[in-house]
Amino acid sequence: MNKFLLFFLLCSVGAQAQYRIAGIIKDAATQKPLPFAIIETPKGIQTSSDVTGIFQLESKNPFETIVISYIGYKTFTLFVKNKNYVTVNLMPNLQSESIDSLTTKKNETISLIKNVIYKEPQNNPQKKLASFQFKIYNKLIVTANPDSIPNQVEWIESNSNKIKIDSSSLKFKRLVSKQHLFLMEKVSLFQQEKNKVKETVLGTKMSGFKNSFYEIIGFNLQSFSPYDEKYEFFETKYVSPISSLGLKDYDYQFLNSVKINNRTCYAVYFINKRKRNKNGLEGVLYIDSENFGLAKAIIRIRGILDITSIHDFDYLPNENLWFPIMNEFKVVKGQNDDPLKILGGTIYFDGEYEQMGLKKKKDPTDFSYIQSKSYFFDREFNVPIDINRSSVVIEIKNDAVKKDNAFWNSYRMDSLDLRSKNTYQSLDSLAYRKGIDSKLFFGRKIINGYAPLGFFDFDLRYLISFNNYEGFRFGLGGITNERFSNKFRLEGYSAYGLKDQEVKYKIGAATRLDEFSNTWMGINYTDDILEIGSTKFTIDKRVFKVYDPRPINVNTFYHHESWSGFIESKILSKSESIWQLTQSEITPLFNYLFYNDGKEYSSYTMTTASFSMQWNPFSDFMQTPNGKIEIEKRFPIFSLQLTQTIPDFLGNNFDFTKIDFRFKYQKKFINGQKSTFLLQSGIALGDVPITHLYSSSPNNFNLSNVWRRITVAGENSFETMFFNEFFSSRYFMVHAKHGFKRIELFPKVKPSLALVTRMAFGAMDNPDQHLDITYKTLNQGFFESGIELNQVLYGFGLGGYYRYGANHLPKFANNIAIKITFSFELSL
């Protein structure tokens, strides 16, 4: 009986065994790999080589030969019986076709692509289907192929006449033979109904992390569909080869006809026309010969990273539609030496050395790659779908990181091999020993300007700063974190200025009313100083800068003691808002009197109700157990703030209304250039002291010598406008800037040239109310333009600006401002 069971099991295994062959396709003369070559068995089982020319073909039926075909090369038949790996050298086809024949083929291919574009609404599932939903199993690994790593020890001579042994490659090979460098699994529910799209993460698991690193889940590696007008790789968009713009940007070549799901499909190669270069997409489209839908798409880009994306589709006869069944994404090193960091592991790139004709010893991680596979299953079409909380495109369930093995075993579409199992065991153990979760918690805080200590996050902004009124200002403050409570928070700070010798402080508390909308209600008391005429949107996110230059130059402030009660919320779709009631006792810290209703005020009381809102209509958000995250910032971004005093309430002295508006736009170009545009305006109606009017963000000292005015450039400030030179009760200003791609002049010296232009217009109502202060108005406008050479060395650069127009000054030198620029970027 036991022998029978053993025989039965062996037969069962044999019946399920796959016949496979792997190899690489090369040009016989140059030995360069040939990507996207077609490999086929006699029974029609097909595959194609990847970007490196490597292929793997599997079949349930045995085969003795394979046929390899490639555009411009002779078709080759290879005997592969009893072989596991082959190297195929294809010979170029020297028989040239006639010009008429080539032209006809080109025209037919273009006509085929036009049909794909024309029939896209009928073939794109996201447009044709009224609704659909399916589950996704995704597996992402950072790993390396052990067979590609040299099995040797390097001997290195040193100046001390001793011989050093470098066994890093061998150690790395042993490591990746046993496990991957990183592994993540995810199970999601994807839903779409009309224009609503949402992914709900049901379960997620990451090696080395007790709590998942949610930012990775929100990182967009590739477009969901090749039908997208702009195809996305690593959050960079490219013109799609099957879009209306694609016909202008791409060349197309017919490769072959193949069978997919027993339907005839045409394989068409595409490549970007411009330079036929490393900066554009290339790949192969498999187009259904009857309905012109995509049956498969292979899309590749070569540059700093060498990225390949594969989209596989399944034909649905009832809908006459190809529906996605699997997406694959792979990243290998490209032609560059810049590092790509994934969760503390680094993959290096060699390109700069190769381009200079030098050879650099490969780092072990040069052999590393990232691979992500997504399998789609449990599909439903044109059924009623209830998409809850559609304001977020991704929602991670609170119990997603707590799923047990039964859950994963029921959903895994790609079983875990021994290396994957070892990855979880090894990295989870390593993470426990080295406290990786705690380090990640610390890193997340630091990147946002906090230093966590237990349940309290110390705010690094308060440690030290400088301005011309306080001199050096030292302080300490912060806010309680989630380790203290998810429902309550306490915050505050205390600071001391060495020049004015005064203590400033703030204390506050808040309670959370709703988790999904992150709605908080709280109260605080502040005793501090603020710059006069500054426009501050209450909703502006707390921004941490290692170095904030403009406040250094500010010397005119007012003192305020303020009580505030507030409600802050993200309940409105793609927006956040703050509703606030504030009572303030205000004293200008300069010679100033405000005249109103026959009385002169040197200090005054204000009670205001305000509403501040920021709307990011085109951004994407992800809801995590820790709160809402903006995973893809898209522009434009709109901000609106309304402020109204409340007459005869809590001692309020004045009656006025303020309306402030801001429009921000930014566009990043594929070639590394970036344009930014800011439009901001405000109007103050009623009796408003100059402390609460508009100064348009000046950043220049009124000194005669241009060299004495050299300071640090601010962000969106007028570098040639003197402090307190202009005040307005209504204004609008425009800032435009275009930064060009960084150019390498010397090693580590890669400056970026930027062109800047700014303008402002304004007017002052009731100027007679403002006593003991001299100022001008912006009725005739203010104009300046400049040029910046940024990030010349260690983030520092230099900018020059010139003032012109009606407010041009008589002395030429007074219209010039020279500033030091500083750029410092933090990333996690």
Side-chain angles (χ1 to χ4, degrees):
M1 183 66 177
N2 290 336
K3 292 182 178 179
F4 176 78
L5 287 175
L6 178 61
F7 176 76
F8 178 80
L9 289 172
L10 289 173
C11 291
S12 299
V13 172
Q16 297 177 35
Q18 294 279 330
Y19 296 88
R20 61 168 59 92
I21 182 71
I24 186 169
I25 313 296
K26 295 183 178 182
D27 181 295
T30 66
Q31 288 298 293
K32 290 184 177 180
L34 299 177
F36 315 125
I38 305 297
I39 301 96
E40 184 176 11
T41 70
K43 293 192 175 181
I45 305 300
Q46 294 177 333
T47 189
S48 61
S49 58
D50 65 12
V51 294
T52 59
I54 294 174
F55 73 92
Q56 181 171 297
L57 180 63
E58 296 183 353
S59 173
K60 293 181 180 179
N61 301 311
F63 54 89
E64 296 184 354
T65 61
I66 56 173
V67 178
I68 304 98
S69 57
Y70 195 77
I71 187 72
Y73 289 79
K74 294 179 180 179
T75 300
F76 184 67
T77 301
L78 181 67
F79 186 77
V80 294
K81 186 177 181 180
N82 298 326
K83 293 181 180 179
N84 296 320
Y85 190 89
V86 295
T87 297
V88 183
N89 293 303
L90 294 186
M91 300 293 294
N93 189 350
L94 301 180
Q95 295 181 352
S96 60
E97 296 185 71
S98 67
I99 294 178
D100 290 341
S101 175
L102 291 173
T103 302
T104 300
K105 280 188 176 181
K106 182 176 181 179
N107 291 338
E108 289 176 348
T109 305
I110 294 296
S111 177
L112 179 63
I113 296 298
K114 285 182 177 179
N115 273 320
V116 174
I117 296 171
Y118 176 72
K119 298 204 172 184
E120 182 263 342
Q122 303 170 34
N123 291 314
N124 185 349
Q126 293 180 286
K127 291 185 179 180
K128 181 174 182 177
L129 300 175
S131 65
F132 61 83
Q133 66 179 19
F134 54 84
K135 290 187 176 70
I136 306 173
Y137 168 75
N138 172 262
K139 181 179 177 182
L140 183 147
I141 59 173
V142 180
T143 191
N145 182 0
D147 295 334
S148 65
I149 304 172
N151 189 16
Q152 61 186 26
V153 176
E154 297 286 342
W155 298 80
I156 304 172
E157 294 184 6
S158 67
N159 294 330
S160 60
N161 295 323
K162 294 181 180 180
I163 295 178
K164 296 181 179 180
I165 299 176
D166 180 6
S167 59
S168 55
S169 292
L170 185 59
K171 290 178 180 177
F172 185 71
K173 179 171 184 173
R174 289 173 178 171
L175 173 67
V176 297
S177 296
K178 296 178 181 178
Q179 66 181 68
H180 303 300
L181 304 177
F182 175 74
L183 170 62
M184 181 183 80
E185 294 179 282
K186 181 183 68 172
V187 175
S188 306
L189 173 66
F190 186 93
Q191 298 172 296
Q192 176 166 328
E193 184 178 32
K194 297 181 180 178
N195 294 325
K196 295 180 180 180
V197 177
K198 184 179 179 183
E199 178 185 359
T200 303
V201 179
L202 307 176
T204 180
K205 188 176 183 181
M206 294 183 188
S207 60
F209 296 94
K210 181 178 178 181
N211 296 309
S212 287
F213 191 10
Y214 299 119
E215 288 83 350
I216 294 180
I217 295 175
F219 193 57
N220 193 12
L221 297 176
Q222 65 183 138
S223 286
F224 168 72
S225 170
Y227 285 108
D228 292 348
E229 186 78 12
K230 293 291 182 69
Y231 191 85
E232 192 163 348
F233 268 139
F234 264 139
E235 300 187 336
T236 300
K237 291 181 169 60
Y238 304 88
V239 174
S240 169
I242 52 172
S243 67
S244 54
L245 295 175
L247 290 171
K248 299 178 181 178
D249 284 5
Y250 293 94
D251 284 325
Y252 303 89
Q253 287 182 306
F254 179 83
L255 295 180
N256 207 341
S257 61
V258 298
K259 288 283 187 180
I260 301 178
N261 283 184
N262 293 320
R263 291 177 66 87
T264 300
C265 298
Y266 300 131
V268 175
Y269 173 74
F270 65 89
I271 187 170
N272 192 280
K273 288 180 180 178
R274 287 173 288 185
K275 301 180 184 177
R276 298 178 67 90
N277 61 23
K278 301 172 184 176
N279 297 320
L281 301 179
E282 65 173 314
V284 177
L285 304 172
Y286 294 84
I287 302 166
D288 190 303
S289 61
E290 297 180 30
N291 66 7
F292 300 102
L294 289 183
K296 184 173 184 175
I298 302 173
I299 302 173
R300 175 195 188 191
I301 186 167
R302 292 178 291 174
I304 295 175
L305 302 174
D306 201 337
I307 310 173
T308 303
S309 178
I310 300 176
H311 298 263
D312 280 323
F313 295 80
D314 182 36
Y315 183 70
L316 307 176
N318 294 336
E319 286 81 11
N320 188 27
L321 180 71
W322 290 89
F323 195 83
I325 192 171
M326 188 189 78
N327 286 353
E328 183 176 355
F329 180 86
K330 187 174 182 180
V331 182
V332 298
K333 77 179 185 68
Q335 299 300 314
N336 196 282
D337 198 42
D338 296 332
L340 168 69
K341 295 184 178 179
I342 302 292
L343 299 175
T346 304
I347 301 173
Y348 294 95
F349 305 103
D350 284 348
E352 291 183 359
Y353 290 85
E354 293 173 4
Q355 291 167 7
M356 292 186 292
L358 302 176
K359 288 195 174 180
K360 169 180 172 279
K361 178 185 172 295
K362 285 195 174 186
D363 186 275
T365 54
D366 279 331
F367 303 100
S368 304
Y369 63 87
I370 308 167
Q371 185 177 52
S372 171
K373 282 188 178 183
S374 297
Y375 301 87
F376 309 141
F377 58 99
D378 290 351
R379 301 173 299 186
E380 295 182 82
F381 312 110
N382 297 323
V383 296
I385 294 177
D386 184 20
I387 302 180
N388 296 318
R389 298 174 173 178
S390 58
S391 60
V392 294
V393 296
I394 301 176
E395 180 178 0
I396 303 175
K397 292 294 187 181
N398 289 336
D399 63 345
V401 298
K402 302 174 183 177
K403 298 300 183 182
D404 56 18
N405 288 332
F407 172 88
W408 290 108
N409 291 335
S410 64
Y411 281 114
R412 277 193 182 110
M413 304 293 290
D414 186 6
S415 60
L416 292 184
D417 57 15
L418 183 58
R419 287 175 73 193
S420 297
K421 293 177 181 177
N422 288 340
T423 303
Y424 277 130
Q425 294 173 359
S426 175
L427 293 185
D428 289 350
S429 174
L430 180 66
Y432 177 78
R433 294 198 307 271
K434 295 194 173 184
I436 289 179
D437 276 277
S438 297
K439 291 178 180 178
L440 179 60
F441 176 81
F442 184 82
R444 279 172 168 163
K445 298 293 184 179
I446 285 292
I447 208 72
N448 289 302
Y450 290 107
L453 182 62
F455 61 81
F456 194 78
D457 294 342
F458 287 93
D459 195 325
L460 300 179
R461 294 178 307 166
Y462 298 134
L463 292 179
I464 184 172
S465 60
F466 181 89
N467 61 67
N468 278 327
Y469 180 81
E470 296 176 285
F472 281 101
R473 170 173 166 149
F474 296 92
L476 193 66
I479 186 171
T480 55
N481 57 45
E482 53 268 34
R483 291 178 176 174
F484 173 77
S485 174
N486 285 320
K487 295 183 178 180
F488 302 97
R489 73 185 188 207
L490 302 174
E491 61 181 313
Y493 67 83
S494 181
Y496 181 78
L498 296 184
K499 187 175 180 181
D500 68 337
Q501 298 183 348
E502 294 287 344
V503 175
K504 297 88 179 174
Y505 65 94
K506 175 184 177 180
I507 55 174
T511 181
R512 194 182 221 170
L513 303 180
D514 180 69
E515 184 176 334
F516 179 78
S517 63
N518 201 29
T519 300
W520 291 80
M521 181 173 67
I523 187 172
N524 57 57
Y525 175 78
T526 307
D527 185 336
D528 208 339
I529 64 173
L530 285 174
E531 177 189 357
I532 70 167
S534 59
T535 303
K536 178 176 174 57
F537 286 82
T538 311
I539 195 61
D540 279 352
K541 292 180 179 178
R542 175 197 173 283
V543 177
F544 169 65
K545 297 179 180 178
V546 174
Y547 179 64
D548 192 4
R550 187 178 174 274
I552 289 178
N553 306 324
V554 179
N555 57 10
T556 313
F557 293 85
Y558 66 88
H559 175 260
H560 71 104
E561 296 179 42
S562 303
W563 284 96
S564 295
F566 64 89
I567 295 176
E568 62 182 42
S569 178
K570 298 179 180 179
I571 193 170
L572 300 176
S573 178
K574 299 192 175 185
S575 70
E576 46 191 317
S577 58
I578 295 180
W579 305 75
Q580 187 164 275
L581 179 66
T582 305
Q583 195 268 353
S584 300
E585 300 291 337
I586 295 169
T587 302
L589 299 175
F590 57 100
N591 291 328
Y592 174 72
L593 293 173
F594 181 64
Y595 182 79
N596 184 55
D597 289 339
K599 183 178 178 180
E600 295 179 352
Y601 292 87
S602 60
S603 62
Y604 32 85
T605 301
M606 289 184 181
T607 305
T608 59
S610 64
F611 165 72
S612 186
M613 176 180 178
Q614 179 171 294
W615 183 39
N616 302 28
F618 304 105
S619 293
D620 286 337
F621 295 86
M622 175 173 67
Q623 184 71 33
T624 78
N626 296 334
K628 192 177 293 186
I629 300 174
E630 186 177 23
I631 56 174
E632 184 167 1
K633 182 186 291 291
R634 297 193 184 102
F635 293 86
I637 296 174
F638 303 89
S639 299
L640 175 67
Q641 184 162 282
L642 307 176
T643 306
Q644 175 65 56
T645 57
I646 305 176
D648 303 320
F649 183 64
L650 298 178
N652 177 61
N653 292 133
F654 311 124
D655 184 13
F656 65 81
T657 302
K658 287 184 70 176
I659 304 172
D660 296 294
F661 172 78
R662 183 176 62 197
F663 170 93
K664 293 172 70 174
Y665 182 78
Q666 176 179 297
K667 180 175 177 59
K668 292 183 179 180
F669 297 88
I670 296 172
N671 60 9
Q673 301 185 56
K674 182 173 76 172
S675 293
T676 58
F677 181 84
L678 170 71
L679 186 152
Q680 187 168 307
S681 64
I683 182 170
L685 305 172
D687 302 315
V688 192
I690 207 164
T691 52
H692 289 65
L693 291 179
Y694 306 106
S695 65
S696 304
S697 193
N699 193 32
N700 200 17
F701 291 114
N702 194 355
L703 301 174
S704 58
N705 191 318
V706 65
W707 303 111
R708 294 179 61 194
R709 298 199 304 269
I710 294 179
T711 55
V712 181
E715 182 179 5
N716 296 323
S717 58
F718 287 89
E719 304 300 335
T720 61
M721 183 186 292
F722 301 130
F723 286 103
N724 304 329
E725 183 180 5
F726 297 93
F727 284 98
S728 307
S729 60
R730 41 197 166 92
Y731 82 104
F732 81 88
M733 63 181 182
V734 175
H735 295 249
K737 182 176 182 177
H738 182 79
F740 294 90
K741 181 181 179 180
R742 297 182 70 179
I743 301 173
E744 182 176 1
L745 300 180
F746 307 100
K748 296 185 179 180
V749 179
K750 298 180 180 180
S752 171
L753 180 69
L755 302 179
V756 182
T757 188
R758 305 180 177 108
M759 65 184 72
F761 292 87
M764 174 66 81
D765 297 329
N766 306 317
D768 297 336
Q769 290 185 302
H770 310 290
L771 308 179
D772 296 339
I773 187 170
T774 302
Y775 61 89
K776 296 186 288 187
T777 63
L778 292 168
N779 297 71
Q780 294 180 296
F782 185 93
F783 304 88
E784 76 172 26
S785 293
I787 185 169
E788 296 175 350
L789 200 60
N790 297 315
Q791 296 177 295
V792 177
L793 191 63
Y794 301 113
F796 289 95
L798 196 65
Y801 312 88
Y802 184 73
R803 168 175 175 164
Y804 56 95
N807 281 292
H808 179 272
L809 300 173
K811 188 177 179 180
F812 178 78
N814 289 343
N815 297 289
I816 297 174
I818 298 174
K819 299 294 178 74
I820 298 170
T821 65
F822 182 73
S823 301
F824 188 85
E825 297 180 358
L826 288 173
S827 59
L828 180 64

